[in-house]
Amino acid sequence: MDVARTEVRAGKGRRLGLSPSRGSLARLGLMALPVAFFAAFFAYPVAAIVARGLKVDGAWQFGRIAEVVSQPDIRHVLWFTTWQALASTALTLLIALPAAYVFARFDFPGKQVLRAVVTVPFVLPTVVAGTAFLALLGRGGLLDEMWGVRLDTTVWAILLAHVFFNYAVVVRTVGGLWSQLDPRQEEAARVLGASRFAAWRKVTLPALAPAVAAASLMVFLFTFTSFGIVQILGGPAYSTLEVEIYRQTSQIFDLSTAAVLTLVQFAAVGAILAVHAWTVRRRETALRLVDAASTTHRPRGSGQRALLGGVLLTIAALILLPLGVLVQRSFKGPDGYGFTYFRALTSADGGAFLVPPIDAVGNSLQYALAATAIAVLVGGLAAAALTRRAGRFVRGFDALLMLPLGVSAVTVGFGFLIALDEPPLDLRASWILVPLAQALVGVPFVVRTMLPVLRAVDERLREAAAVLGASPWRVWREVDLPMVRRALLVAAGFAFAVSLGEFGATVFIARPDNPTLPVAVARLLGRAGELNYGQAMALSTILMVVCAVSLLLLERVRTVSTASTGEF
């Protein structure tokens, strides 16, 4: 049957005048630039830093892996990394799943704005998220001042900050699929005598399982590789793999141990992404089976209104309160509320920078714009190449595009300095180095945003254009681009927002006279003094406002097709 189906498909292509190899050649052409980009600016730097750590006199020292992993302090790091990631994932699901239902099923005033607000923490640098919870829960924080409640340097502070950061992952991924499920299926089960919980457990939950699994894996990935949050809130007692790689690289200068930890993290991330790819394929299968019509309605009855109220209170306490504390701390100066810390950003007299800290705003915007252009070009070509489902090679390429989200950004940044120091890639003194590192993080968001929309385009339109003699480039320009233009804007917006917040790699390669906003915030927090702390709060507030405006604009251009896939 499969053979016959293949022959019919091939015969149809011949009748249309399409060469069987034309699509494959076009796909390979589209993949050329993304493959070259990732090979030069991801695989090569990571391989270079690992080789530098594990090669001694030209010989590989693989025995070093067992030696490092067997150390008690490293085992403690591995245990804490895994444990806190599992706990953070479970807590995020528990708190965010009700919100996913509310955003999927309810229609209420301010929904569009609120959806953008809950996404702000995700695109903020992790160092800013850690700063927000430090200002809320730390020594001298808001809760400490009001009620004497202090959770700094504790696991609970880290877990809550991770929920704050990953809340939008569950809301968007699970809520996107939930909005497509036909509620009449669950209602039919209720008519047949099932209780509300039994109908949800037997009808809705199995349909949601792929999206819940995908969201869980992504939250686990982000918390497993957590850096800024743990570095700020964890203190010396708590360290994830990413934090330990940074410490071994920049403080102890033990590249051998850092290389081993990079390999361990790489293996873990590879396994996570392999499972995630499988769940995504299951979710795409589910999407073809459900009704994509809108299913939202105004909350009915006291139960639904209470659920909406509970979700709104959760968002206020978990999202708005930490962000509000950032703003409050940025205006609270030694002489009361005012613009003292914002005015201090215009001077370099503090000694923390060679230039006024406010210059970091312009630097970040310029770098982010360049990174967005690179990410859209590379990610757009990659998404176009992946549009037609193919074999293991293309699926492997899809997984490769996700690796920068999980592989140590610290390793990538330090690898840039080690590897890109000789012609033809001697870029250490070039400004483009920072946008290249930021684009590595932006490309996966471009692909994940555009790919479902491209796959929704009717293949017969492309075939008709090809029959009329259009080249693959013209087919893309005349058929695909008009349909995915708004999705492209959404992808560019997300790439811009995450580029603004990139910290792990940028902290190594940003020049002292051209700091980015996240690097400037981390540098100010690392210096004692009320003025430095206040300036860090002021810069964090500026970054938060820029990200919030970007996301509000994205919500205005989002289409049903980009919203309903469950992708960012």
Side-chain angles (χ1 to χ4, degrees):
M1 180 65 70
D2 291 338
V3 174
R5 195 177 291 120
T6 302
E7 290 177 349
V8 169
R9 211 178 280 126
K12 179 182 178 181
R14 284 190 294 269
R15 288 195 303 271
L16 291 173
L18 301 176
S19 170
S21 61
R22 185 176 179 182
S24 299
L25 290 175
R27 182 183 295 115
L28 290 175
L30 292 170
M31 291 172 61
L33 179 61
V35 169
F37 176 79
F38 274 84
F41 301 114
F42 178 70
Y44 177 48
V46 171
I49 194 68
V50 171
R52 181 70 64 93
L54 291 182
K55 262 190 175 181
V56 178
D57 297 328
W60 289 95
Q61 304 294 320
F62 291 110
R64 180 67 176 150
I65 298 177
E67 180 183 339
V68 170
V69 174
S70 63
Q71 295 176 10
D73 56 336
I74 298 299
R75 287 205 303 269
H76 175 73
V77 169
L78 292 172
W79 164 247
F80 177 72
T81 301
T82 305
W83 179 88
Q84 64 81 25
L86 289 171
S88 297
T89 302
L91 191 60
T92 303
L93 286 175
L94 180 65
I95 295 176
L97 279 177
Y101 174 79
V102 165
F103 278 96
R105 293 296 196 216
F106 293 168
D107 188 17
F108 53 91
K111 178 179 176 180
Q112 189 180 70
V113 174
L114 199 62
R115 183 182 172 90
V117 167
V118 300
T119 312
V120 169
F122 181 73
V123 298
L124 284 178
T126 54
V127 65
V128 175
T131 301
F133 273 79
L134 187 65
L136 178 64
L137 304 174
R139 186 182 301 276
L142 181 65
L143 297 186
D144 188 19
E145 289 181 352
M146 296 179 63
W147 298 299
V149 177
R150 192 165 64 231
L151 292 176
D152 53 325
T153 68
T154 68
V155 176
W156 272 111
I158 294 173
L159 297 183
L160 289 174
H162 281 159
V163 176
F164 167 83
F165 183 76
N166 292 291
Y167 190 84
V169 176
V170 176
V171 170
R172 285 181 172 260
T173 305
V174 180
L177 179 57
W178 213 330
S179 65
Q180 285 194 303
L181 298 183
D182 190 346
R184 291 174 297 183
Q185 296 177 356
E186 189 173 321
E187 293 169 1
R190 295 285 310 280
V191 169
L192 294 175
S195 64
R196 185 180 297 275
F197 177 75
W200 180 84
R201 179 172 58 85
K202 295 182 178 180
V203 177
T204 304
L205 183 58
L208 285 177
V212 174
S216 301
L217 288 166
M218 291 309 298
V219 173
F220 183 84
L221 175 66
F222 292 137
T223 53
F224 186 85
T225 58
S226 182
F227 177 48
I229 288 174
V230 177
Q231 187 182 36
I232 291 177
L233 297 177
Y238 302 104
S239 180
T240 57
L241 270 173
E242 186 81 352
V243 174
E244 188 64 20
I245 291 171
Y246 176 77
R247 189 175 75 89
Q248 295 288 341
T249 302
S250 63
Q251 298 176 11
I252 302 178
F253 305 107
D254 186 352
L255 292 185
S256 177
T257 299
V260 171
L261 296 180
T262 297
L263 290 176
V264 171
Q265 183 165 307
F266 189 86
V269 168
I272 295 169
L273 290 178
V275 179
H276 177 264
W278 176 72
T279 60
V280 168
R281 289 197 297 274
R282 285 190 62 198
R283 182 175 50 181
E284 288 176 349
T285 301
L287 283 174
R288 292 194 296 270
L289 299 176
V290 297
D291 183 6
S294 175
T295 58
T296 59
H297 58 80
R298 292 279 183 172
R300 309 188 192 104
S302 59
Q304 292 188 354
R305 285 193 290 270
L307 176 60
L308 175 61
V311 168
L312 294 178
L313 286 175
T314 301
I315 292 174
L318 182 67
I319 307 295
L320 296 179
L321 182 58
L323 295 178
V325 170
L326 274 182
V327 178
Q328 184 258 346
R329 293 290 170 172
S330 68
F331 286 100
K332 186 180 180 183
D335 301 322
Y337 288 95
F339 293 91
T340 302
Y341 296 135
F342 288 92
R343 285 193 292 267
L345 295 176
T346 62
S347 172
D349 295 339
F353 300 93
L354 300 177
V355 295
I358 194 65
D359 287 2
V361 178
N363 295 335
S364 287
L365 292 175
Q366 293 174 20
Y367 287 144
L369 286 172
T372 300
I374 298 171
V376 168
L377 175 61
V378 175
L381 289 173
L386 294 168
T387 299
R388 299 176 184 178
R389 294 171 179 82
R392 294 180 180 178
F393 175 74
V394 173
R395 291 199 297 268
F397 176 61
D398 192 7
L400 170 68
L401 298 174
M402 296 289 290
L403 279 178
L405 293 181
V407 172
S408 171
V410 171
T411 300
V412 173
F414 197 53
F416 269 36
L417 297 180
I418 297 294
L420 305 181
D421 62 344
E422 296 179 356
L425 291 176
D426 186 3
L427 302 176
R428 285 187 301 176
S430 174
W431 67 272
I432 197 65
L433 204 61
V434 173
L436 286 172
Q438 294 174 341
L440 282 172
V441 182
V443 167
F445 289 93
V446 173
V447 174
R448 296 268 72 83
T449 302
M450 293 192 63
L451 186 57
V453 184
L454 284 169
R455 285 178 173 168
V457 177
D458 192 337
E459 183 64 27
R460 291 172 296 182
L461 296 176
R462 298 189 182 101
E463 293 174 349
V467 167
L468 296 175
S471 65
W473 163 245
R474 189 172 182 184
V475 170
W476 159 257
R477 191 179 74 242
E478 301 290 345
V479 177
D480 293 74
L481 184 58
M483 296 186 178
V484 302
R485 185 179 290 114
R486 297 179 74 181
L488 186 63
L489 291 175
V490 173
F494 265 109
F496 178 79
V498 298
S499 296
L500 275 177
E502 206 289 319
F503 174 66
T506 309
V507 71
F508 277 94
I509 57 181
R511 295 170 55 178
D513 57 342
N514 285 293
T516 63
L517 274 169
V519 172
V521 170
R523 194 175 299 173
L524 287 167
L525 287 175
R527 296 173 63 90
E530 185 178 359
L531 179 62
N532 289 317
Y533 179 80
Q535 289 182 93
M537 296 295 108
L539 281 178
S540 298
T541 299
I542 292 172
L543 182 55
M544 180 192 70
V545 170
V546 173
C547 291
V549 171
S550 301
L551 290 170
L552 284 172
L553 293 175
L554 289 184
E555 287 300 315
R556 295 186 64 86
V557 300
R558 284 176 70 248
T559 60
V560 173
S561 57
T562 57
S564 64
T565 58
E567 304 283 355
F568 276 93

